[in-house]
Amino acid sequence: MWRTFTDADLDRRVEPRTRTLREQVVHQCVGEDSWMRRMLGIDTGLPPLPAKECSEPFIHHYGAATAARPGPRRGSR
């Protein structure tokens, strides 16, 4: 879904009370990183955010962090 937005869209606010897309993706990345480390003890070794806060770096960084986390074990439910 994030690929549907361009860098020009990141700082657009739909209405005054909402987050910008950049604020939302930062919130998502930082929140998931914190939750994984604190609640589950999973540290990917990556910083919570990419070095450059643009569309493609966000997408690649989020994918790398997701891939670095252990997945479900085979045969477990």
Side-chain angles (χ1 to χ4, degrees):
M1 186 202 120
W2 289 109
R3 276 200 175 24
T4 62
F5 300 104
T6 66
D7 289 341
D9 296 322
L10 289 178
D11 293 314
R12 191 171 69 96
R13 197 175 300 279
V14 178
E15 71 169 57
R17 298 177 298 173
T18 62
R19 290 181 175 137
T20 65
L21 293 171
R22 182 185 312 277
E23 290 167 341
Q24 180 59 40
V25 76
V26 165
H27 172 78
Q28 183 173 340
C29 290
V30 170
E32 285 185 22
D33 177 73
S34 178
W35 194 82
M36 290 287 177
R37 281 185 298 104
R38 291 181 183 170
M39 299 297 289
L40 300 177
I42 298 170
D43 186 353
T44 63
L46 298 170
L49 297 171
K52 189 173 181 183
E53 293 184 9
C54 296
S55 295
E56 283 301 312
F58 271 130
I59 291 166
H60 291 290
H61 185 77
Y62 189 80
T66 301
R69 295 178 187 133
R73 294 187 182 130
R74 291 180 185 245
S76 65
R77 290 189 182 217

